[in-house]
Amino acid sequence: MEPIVIIGSGLAGYNTAKELRKLDTATPLTLISADSGPFYSKPMLSNALASKKEPAAIALNTPEQMAAQLNAAVRVKTRVDAVDTGACTLRIGNETLRYSKLVLALGADQIRLPIAGDAAADIMTVNDLDDYAGFRAAIAGKKRVTIIGAGLIGCEFANDLAAAGFAVDVVDIAARPLGRLLPPEGGALLQSKLAALGVQWHLGTSVASVDRAEHGYSVGLANGGTLQADIVLSAVGLKPRTGLAAAADIKVNRGIVVNRRLETGAPGVYALGDCAEIEGLVMPYVMPIMHATRALAQTLAGKPAAVSFPAMPVMVKTPACPTIVSPPAAGAEGSWQIEATADGVKSLFVAADGRLLGFALNGNATAERAKLAPQLPPVLA
Ligand SMILES: Cc1cc2nc3c(=O)[nH]c(=O)nc-3n(C[C@H](O)[C@H](O)[C@H](O)COP(=O)(O)OP(=O)(O)OC[C@H]3O[C@@H](n4cnc5c(N)ncnc54)[C@H](O)[C@@H]3O)c2cc1C
């Protein structure tokens, strides 16, 4: 019997395997990963300094332990080069591997901005535990970190590094941090609380160049300013990994296009996690992955199931200003109603008929999450 093959050992890949093994202990299963394949929780990477975790301690299980736990073959540092959906095969270098069903859990790439300068290639990104181990080695004994991007990941790293004593500069083209998730009042509170921790903001501008300097780097800003940095970290967004699917003639749009059963257009080929676009939605967060893995496991075990998503508020790990967001659906009609105090901002996105369609809670307003979350509409009913 050919194995079910899962490409990817992130939360989507491993959790699909775990859920499948609750339903089917026998079907041969193979996981293939381009990285070193530890089982870990990626969100821990942006608060590991605060939780005093060394990179090695973030890995919860080795790939060998996962293989034993899942009764699966786990192949690490192995990149799948091509998929042939007609022949149901994968190509890894010169090797051809057959599959019965294929799960694409490929994740997303960090977007890299075009930046000039003789040290642009030194700009770091953190998108997996291997990257993070490299980042921690690079910052050891250093002082100044410039972060490009004031989105969720940039703000979380800014908080973690500043709280650990680093001098942190954050550069973003937007006028406020978390500009896509927070109305301006919430962004302003987050900005001021992180500034109180020592974060220096450079908003409304971008990084134009990174050059080697006598000590570390000279970071040139589009507004003419210059920052000195020992390390430059970029966190400007993610791009679903669609190349493998597109080359196999599987439909891709922003992500790999799948229906509610996580089926691509190719028979027996599924996608989920950061690489997937489910009914038009790309949801690069943990909760959607956990819902999708449970549905997909049923389908893989022979009982086709559609995934549904409740509202899934995301907690931003900025302890200097606790923040929870549940943005309204794209195109939702309504308006923001905002109550701001010195220590909290409650932003509610409300329809004309009074229904709550989304929220952003900052500071002490996060205490209202439990009351508000059940009022939100599901993301996909
Ligand atoms: C720093 C950080 C903090 C975060 N914090 C939060 C948070 O607080 N809350 C939240 O909800 N979400 C958070 N997220 C997002 C969340 O972690 C991701 O949505 C999730 O981990 C993605 O899992 P995945 O399995 O889809 O992708 P990944 O973990 O990226 O896994 C992709 C896998 O595919 C493999 N792969 C790709 N291409 C190939 C190939 N051709 N051949 C073989 N293998 C391949 C890779 O090696 C990897 O193993 C955070 C993300 C980051 C980066």
Side-chain angles (χ1 to χ4, degrees):
M1 194 199 233
E2 307 301 350
I4 295 176
V5 175
I6 298 175
I7 312 177
S9 63
L11 290 173
Y14 271 138
N15 283 307
T16 299
K18 285 186 174 199
E19 292 297 327
L20 175 64
R21 281 302 186 230
K22 291 180 189 167
L23 306 172
D24 170 353
T25 53
T27 302
L29 180 62
T30 300
L31 266 100
I32 304 173
S33 179
D35 63 34
S36 59
F39 179 64
Y40 72 105
S41 173
K42 198 187 276 195
M44 290 192 65
L45 303 182
S46 46
N47 67 353
L49 291 168
S51 53
K52 304 217 179 312
K53 290 264 188 210
E54 292 299 323
I58 294 173
L60 302 169
N61 294 110
T62 64
E64 294 75 19
Q65 288 168 329
M66 293 307 290
Q69 196 186 105
L70 295 166
N71 181 28
V74 178
R75 295 179 58 169
V76 300
K77 304 229 180 235
T78 303
R79 182 166 291 281
V80 174
D81 298 312
V83 175
D84 181 335
T85 61
C88 296
T89 57
L90 305 176
R91 192 168 53 72
I92 300 166
N94 293 326
E95 180 190 353
T96 300
L97 198 76
R98 295 190 64 81
Y99 64 79
S100 58
K101 292 173 186 152
L102 178 66
V103 177
L104 304 174
L106 305 169
D109 284 315
Q110 293 271 0
I111 293 169
R112 291 194 80 99
L113 298 175
I115 289 174
D118 63 15
D122 292 0
I123 298 172
M124 304 191 82
T125 58
V126 171
N127 194 25
D128 60 32
L129 186 50
D130 297 342
D131 292 342
Y132 187 64
F135 177 68
R136 283 289 288 269
I139 62 173
K142 301 282 169 47
K143 191 79 194 107
R144 296 200 72 97
V145 181
T146 292
I147 297 174
I148 310 173
L152 183 137
I153 293 173
C155 286
E156 292 187 352
F157 274 116
N159 196 145
D160 207 37
L161 288 160
F166 289 87
V168 178
D169 290 285
V170 181
V171 184
D172 197 298
I173 195 79
R176 298 265 180 238
L178 282 191
R180 270 187 268 160
L181 295 172
L182 294 178
E185 293 83 349
L189 185 70
L190 178 65
Q191 185 178 340
S192 70
K193 296 286 182 185
L194 284 175
L197 199 64
V199 172
Q200 305 258 7
W201 296 99
H202 309 273
L203 297 167
T205 188
S206 57
V207 170
S209 59
V210 177
D211 287 284
R212 255 171 266 288
E214 195 185 342
H215 300 290
Y217 302 109
S218 170
V219 179
L221 303 182
N223 67 7
T226 305
L227 307 173
Q228 297 307 314
D230 299 317
I231 301 292
V232 182
L233 177 69
S234 175
V236 295
L238 294 168
K239 190 174 179 318
R241 292 189 179 120
T242 56
L244 193 65
D249 282 336
I250 292 170
K251 187 174 174 194
V252 305
N253 184 33
R254 268 199 308 145
I256 302 170
V257 172
V258 293
N259 61 18
R260 294 280 288 271
R261 289 185 183 174
L262 292 321
E263 296 165 323
T264 68
V269 182
Y270 306 84
L272 81 170
D274 283 9
C275 68
E277 178 178 323
I278 307 171
E279 297 233 322
L281 299 173
V282 175
M283 295 175 279
Y285 298 108
V286 174
M287 285 312 291
I289 290 175
M290 301 317 282
H291 286 280
T293 58
R294 287 190 282 271
L296 181 56
Q298 291 193 48
T299 300
L300 294 174
K303 289 206 173 120
V307 63
S308 47
F309 296 107
M312 296 170 288
V314 175
M315 206 172 74
V316 184
K317 302 184 296 297
T318 45
C321 179
T323 295
I324 302 174
V325 293
S326 190
E333 288 194 18
S335 55
W336 285 104
Q337 297 178 359
I338 293 167
E339 284 174 32
T341 64
D343 289 312
V345 179
K346 177 166 82 170
S347 308
L348 304 181
F349 192 84
V350 181
D353 62 6
R355 279 174 305 123
L356 182 66
L357 299 179
F359 64 60
L361 306 172
N362 302 93
N364 59 16
T366 54
E368 299 207 36
R369 174 215 170 123
K371 187 180 82 188
L372 293 169
Q375 300 173 34
L376 291 168
V379 174
L380 277 180

